[in-house]
Amino acid sequence: MSEEVAPHTHFQYADATHQSDTAVAGMWLFLASEVLFFGGLIIAWMFCRHWQPAGFDAGGRETVLWIGTLNLFLLITSSFVYSSGLAFMEAGNIRRLVQCCVVTMAIGTLFLLLKFYEWHIDLSENLFPAGPFKITGTDAGGARMFWSFYFVATVLHALHMIIGVGLVGWVAVQARRGAFDDGWYTPVEVVGLYWSFVDIVWIVLYPVIYLVGRG
Amino acid sequence: MRKRHRLNLLLLLVLFCIAALEFGVSLPPVPAATRPILALPAAIMAVLVALGYMRLLDAPAIARGFAMAGIFWLAILLGLAMTDPLTRTIYAVTRQIGS
């Protein structure tokens, strides 16, 4: 006699909750590895600024503060919107979930467009650390190190954002196709964890890139 | 559901306030050595996002364990990496002519 299982539950799990808990735990494990990945960047920032504080801060003062600040508020808002979508999903309101996903994607895309614009400004002002560089004199070495950190950190974050926008779009498409219901929406939760983590990374990068060097 | 939406909205407002505070306190001149403290509001915001939007407290025990392990190893990583620059003594190099 075969036991009746939920349609989304795979054979190796005792029940749907076991499967969902495993997926959520797996995502947290991945995010823990991401913490260490971005931790390396923070080490680079701490180490370089410790040895070249004046040059590093001189580099930081050249960043486009208004774009970084606007992007911070955009990403915080996007986490709020996606989390609201998850709450709607829990209540079985798929239409609202899709709408929240679309708004989240729009905010994420706006973030990326602003980031591309900011890179355009940076490059046009000769702030790329290789080649002719805007800052000269004794601060040039530290400033070049800052801008190396800046480009590595922001490009890595933007890559995560692009993946995140794609994942949120995938959730929206799947939800529209009726793949989720109020009894099974684990992918919505897992993608939400990833999206909020990318938000956290920007929350941490914002002061070290835009604020510490000023004042 | 309504309670969850209210919590989400409240968290958004709190995060906005902390972000504005972080921006505000960065404006007055502060000695360069103490400016990294400006990252403290960011750390608070990161914890709030993890607890609120990522629902860490509602996650399975093993997921909470993974999150704690991530923070623990990050502390080890940053702590060990900074022991060298924070404890190294820099001696002035004197140039000896003719040696």
Side-chain angles (χ1 to χ4, degrees):
Chain A
M1 194 176 83
S2 64
E3 290 181 41
E4 191 174 331
V5 292
H8 296 291
T9 307
H10 294 170
F11 72 92
Q12 66 268 41
Y13 300 104
D15 51 37
T17 307
H18 182 209
Q19 178 169 307
S20 173
D21 284 356
T22 305
V24 169
M27 181 46 105
W28 273 105
L29 180 60
F30 169 70
L31 295 182
S33 74
E34 287 275 276
V35 165
L36 298 182
F37 175 73
F38 282 101
L41 277 178
I42 301 301
I43 284 177
W45 181 87
M46 291 165 75
F47 203 89
C48 294
R49 188 176 185 275
H50 179 81
W51 292 119
Q52 305 256 2
F56 217 66
D57 289 352
R61 282 192 290 275
E62 298 296 328
T63 52
V64 187
L65 181 61
W66 72 267
I67 294 181
T69 308
L70 181 58
N71 272 346
L72 175 70
F73 283 91
L74 283 175
L75 272 196
I76 293 172
T77 308
S78 75
S79 269
F80 160 73
V81 173
Y82 192 91
S83 190
S84 298
L86 178 60
F88 282 122
M89 182 68 250
E90 286 166 338
N93 193 339
I94 292 173
R95 196 171 63 89
R96 285 276 185 218
L97 167 68
V98 173
Q99 289 171 348
C100 286
C101 284
V102 170
V103 173
T104 303
M105 285 173 67
I107 295 173
T109 306
L110 182 58
F111 175 98
L112 286 168
L113 289 174
L114 283 166
K115 196 73 230 165
F116 290 137
Y117 177 59
E118 187 180 0
W119 284 331
H120 170 73
I121 294 173
D122 299 335
L123 294 177
S124 64
E125 291 186 0
N126 282 339
L127 287 166
F128 192 72
F133 192 63
K134 181 179 182 178
I135 299 170
T136 54
T138 53
D139 290 340
R144 280 183 195 267
M145 281 203 288
F146 172 84
W147 281 92
S148 300
F149 164 80
Y150 168 87
F151 279 108
V152 171
T154 54
V155 167
L156 283 174
H157 181 263
L159 287 174
H160 280 75
M161 282 291 297
I162 291 167
I163 293 168
V165 169
L167 287 173
V168 173
W170 176 81
V171 166
V173 170
Q174 293 299 312
R176 207 172 155 77
R177 286 180 181 164
F180 310 126
D181 54 53
D182 53 357
W184 186 78
Y185 47 85
T186 307
V188 185
E189 284 182 277
V190 170
V191 169
L193 290 176
Y194 179 84
W195 187 262
S196 288
F197 176 79
V198 176
D199 178 16
I200 286 178
V201 172
W202 189 253
I203 285 172
V204 173
L205 286 178
Y206 171 71
V208 302
I209 288 176
Y210 296 94
L211 299 184
V212 172
R214 288 188 158 82
Chain B
M1 185 180 80
R2 215 171 251 181
K3 189 183 168 197
R4 173 55 65 180
H5 284 303
R6 270 204 299 270
L7 277 173
N8 283 346
L9 189 60
L10 181 67
L11 181 57
L12 177 73
L13 295 175
V14 170
L15 289 171
F16 274 6
C17 288
I18 298 174
L21 182 75
E22 180 182 51
F23 180 79
V25 296
S26 75
L27 297 177
V30 176
T34 53
R35 289 191 72 78
I37 208 162
L38 288 171
L40 189 63
I44 295 168
M45 289 164 75
V47 170
L48 287 176
V49 170
L51 295 178
Y53 295 142
M54 298 172 85
R55 304 182 185 183
L56 182 58
L57 294 179
D58 299 333
I62 192 166
R64 293 199 299 273
F66 288 147
M68 290 302 107
I71 300 300
F72 174 75
W73 285 114
L74 179 67
I76 296 285
L77 186 75
L78 298 182
L80 280 181
M82 289 310 289
T83 49
D84 170 43
L86 292 178
T87 58
R88 191 188 296 187
T89 306
I90 306 293
Y91 296 101
V93 177
T94 54
R95 190 175 174 195
Q96 295 180 346
I97 299 171
S99 63

